[in-house]
Structure formats: structure tokens, C-alpha cells
Amino acid sequence: MPRAVQKAVRVGPWLLVPLLSASLMLASCSGDKDTKKSAGQTVARVNKEELTVHQINFVLSQQRGIRPEQTDAASRQILERLIDQELALQKAGEQKLDRDARVVAQLEAARREIIARAYFDRVGDAAPKPTNDEIKKYYDDNPALFAQRRIYQLQEINIEATPDKVQGLRQVLQSAKSVNEFVQHLRDNGYRFSGNQVVRGAEQVPMNLLESLSKMSDGQTLFNAAPNGASVLVLVGTRAQPVDEKTARPAIEQFLVNDRKRRLIADDLKALRQAADIQYMGKFAEAAKEAVPAAAAPTPADVAASAVGAAGAALPPPAAPASGALDTKTITKGLGLK
């Protein structure tokens, strides 16, 4: 098999472990050992145990980006992992590891997670699809992410400083004639700092910075306080790379559906909590008085990132930002409820 195809269909054991474990747990819950496998389902026999095509198909269904012509190669890899797992399961059974307290607790936790997620998936299925007008409005309301999307070439300077020094650094930057002069000030005063260059699409910039960046001219700087000091962004240059409404439409639709699912689930969970008799005990009783944090809502950058991916826009590989620069938690990579 060509190396490129091997890379595309590679299924690592760290990914298969939870999927295969869930598959086997669900199978044991449904009592499949008491049912006869129809002809053609068995794909391998490991000692006295049979592996079926349904187990392979389950794992395949959890994989993304596998093209039809890669299915056979991926299925063979999955089967080999299933065989490895079955051998380990049989040995674990001989050693009665399935009765180990930690294993029993993990199985119960996985069972609860799977069933609860199935319930929330069903709640989310009631989310209506957005209308054409709603999709267009979303597109029009976010021009920096779509119609006026730009690619930003940035320089980052990440500075270690105590909180009492941050405001002074901001003033030094404002009065400096150039970035080089500011950097020389850092050197002269013994600040530890690092710098690198990055390229970011609009959807990869935190929303609280995007509006400011979109109004800046080449050479201008943006100062931000950071947990361990401060960061300075220097706008080196930009280029326009818009995403048209037709290209963005599928991503916007999916984003809006997912957001509605999230809201439905949050409302349902809130109602369940209000209707339930929940009593906190011991040390948790005091902590329960604090507000329960709400789940983070998807951001407009989520849908923009998906739309850019659909458009096939090629961005230069960005350098990894240091701490205190562009927050990697806000750099979105796709859509969907976790």
C-alpha cells in the first residue's frame, strides 16, 4: 500500500482502544454471545472467539476522512487491532482482570457516558435546520470571517514580566519609535522574551483580537497582558482571501444546527436539574453554593474555520505560538458537539 494511503488510513491504538472497548461493552450488554452469527459475518477466529464484520464497521464509522478507496486497507488495519485486543481480552479473562475494582469502575463510567450521550443526542435531534435567510444573515453579520476575510502575517514578542511591570511596558511600546527600539529596551532592562513569526487566517485569531487587527495598518502593534507577562503582536502584512457565501453556506448551516443542539441540550439539562431532588453532602455541600459554569458556546470562528477548510484555502503552516500569545484554545479546528 502506498505510504500516502497508509498515512491517510492509519488508525492508532490510542484511538482504537476507546472505540473497541465501547464496541465490546455494548456487545456484552446486548448478549450477542447468546445469538448465532449469520453466515458471512465472521471475519476471523481467535482461538474459540469470533470477530465479525460488524465490529470492523463500527470502528470504521467512527473514523473521519477515509475515502471509499481506502476502506479495504483501513478495515485490514482495524481487524489486526481487533485481533490484538481479543488476545489481550482472553488473557485478561484468565487472570480475572474483569473483576478488578478499577476495571469495573471504568466499565461503569463508560456505560454511563455512552447512555447519557445517547440521550443528549436524541434531545439535540429536535433542533430545526436554519432557513436560507438565517444563513445569509449570519454570513452578512460576520464580514471579517467571510466576505472580508484576510490572512495576517504577524510577529509575536512574548515577554516574561511581573504584573507591576506590565503597564510600564505598554507605555514604553507606545512611546517607542520602532519595534526594534522596544526590543532593545527589553534587552537593556534584562527582560526575558522570545519572538516568532506566524501566519493566521481570520478564523484562527481570537475574536477579541480580530476586530482590532482588521483595523490596523502594516507595522502597527497590539499589546496584550498575559498570565506571565505580556505579548506584543506586530502586523507585518495582510492579504485578502475572502470566502463567498456559497462556499460558506454548508459550514454556516452546520454551525447553526450544532449551536441549536447545544442550546436544546443545555435547556433540557437545566430543566432536569430543576425537577430533580439533588442533595450535596459533606465537603461538596459548601462548594455547591457556587454557580455551575456553563458550557462554552461555539464561536463564529468555528464556522469560519470549517468554511475555509471546505474552500480548500491553503495557509502556510503556522509556528506554534508561545504562551500568552494567540490563545490556542480559541483557535478552532472544526464544528460539532463533543
Side-chain angles (χ1 to χ4, degrees):
M1 183 170 55
R3 186 170 298 178
V5 175
Q6 286 181 333
K7 182 178 181 181
V9 302
R10 183 179 179 185
V11 184
W14 54 88
L15 179 59
L16 278 178
V17 168
L19 295 177
L20 298 181
S21 298
S23 176
L24 290 172
M25 187 179 69
L26 290 174
S28 64
C29 291
S30 62
D32 68 332
K33 290 185 179 295
D34 297 330
T35 60
K36 293 183 177 180
K37 300 179 178 67
S38 59
Q41 289 183 346
T42 301
V43 293
R45 183 176 290 106
V46 182
N47 296 322
K48 295 182 179 181
E49 295 297 326
E50 295 181 351
L51 302 177
T52 71
V53 69
H54 300 302
Q55 290 170 286
I56 292 177
N57 290 340
F58 173 78
V59 180
L60 272 176
S61 69
Q62 308 301 306
Q63 309 302 306
R64 295 181 180 180
I66 295 181
R67 298 190 296 271
E69 65 270 19
Q70 297 171 337
T71 301
D72 288 345
S75 296
R76 288 193 293 272
Q77 289 188 359
I78 291 170
L79 177 57
E80 294 304 319
R81 295 295 185 187
L82 283 166
I83 290 172
D84 292 343
Q85 187 188 54
E86 180 58 38
L87 289 169
L89 282 171
Q90 291 179 19
K91 271 298 182 183
E94 293 175 8
Q95 298 174 16
K96 303 188 185 304
L97 290 179
D98 56 329
R99 301 180 188 179
D100 181 273
R102 186 176 61 177
V103 174
V104 172
Q106 290 174 335
L107 286 172
E108 175 59 18
R111 186 189 71 84
R112 288 166 58 88
E113 171 67 20
I114 291 170
I115 296 175
R117 181 168 299 197
Y119 169 75
F120 286 126
D121 285 345
R122 178 168 294 184
V123 172
D125 287 342
K129 289 187 176 181
T131 65
N132 289 334
D133 289 342
E134 289 172 327
I135 294 174
K136 177 173 175 54
K137 183 178 185 303
Y138 192 92
Y139 180 89
D140 293 339
D141 287 347
N142 293 278
L145 293 171
F146 301 112
Q148 299 173 16
R149 176 176 177 268
R150 299 162 72 189
I151 304 298
Y152 298 91
Q153 183 178 355
L154 305 167
Q155 287 182 341
E156 290 182 333
I157 305 172
N158 301 288
I159 310 159
E160 294 183 20
T162 56
D164 59 300
K165 298 288 186 181
V166 171
Q167 185 57 35
L169 287 173
R170 186 190 300 271
Q171 294 173 353
V172 171
L173 178 64
Q174 291 173 347
S175 61
K177 296 179 181 179
S178 67
V179 175
N180 287 338
E181 182 178 315
F182 175 73
V183 170
Q184 188 60 49
H185 171 85
L186 297 177
R187 292 196 181 101
D188 293 343
N189 289 273
Y191 285 99
R192 297 182 61 182
F193 65 94
S194 62
N196 64 337
Q197 294 194 18
V198 295
V199 177
R200 295 279 186 259
E203 69 284 351
Q204 296 174 301
V205 178
M207 291 302 294
N208 61 332
L209 296 181
L210 181 58
E211 183 177 357
S212 298
L213 273 179
S214 65
K215 298 176 181 178
M216 289 169 53
S217 301
D218 292 357
Q220 288 189 312
T221 60
L222 191 62
F223 185 94
N224 292 287
N228 298 319
S231 69
V232 175
L233 288 180
V234 184
L235 181 59
V236 178
T238 66
R239 70 176 186 272
Q241 196 172 84
V243 177
D244 59 47
E245 185 178 345
K246 181 179 179 181
T247 301
R249 176 171 289 271
I252 293 175
E253 180 178 9
Q254 188 61 56
F255 173 82
L256 292 176
V257 167
N258 285 345
D259 189 48
R260 291 174 180 183
K261 286 183 177 182
R262 180 190 62 80
R263 294 175 187 273
L264 281 176
I265 292 170
D267 290 344
D268 184 81
L269 188 54
K270 181 179 179 180
L272 290 176
R273 279 180 165 268
Q274 290 175 342
D277 179 17
I278 303 175
Q279 299 180 18
Y280 293 90
M281 308 295 181
K283 65 180 181 180
F284 297 100
E286 186 66 26
K289 296 179 181 179
E290 300 177 5
V292 177
T299 67
D302 293 335
V303 62
S306 183
V308 171
L315 299 181
S323 60
L326 297 178
D327 184 1
T328 55
K329 292 183 179 179
T330 65
I331 297 176
T332 55
K333 296 182 179 180
L335 293 165
L337 297 174
K338 295 290 185 180

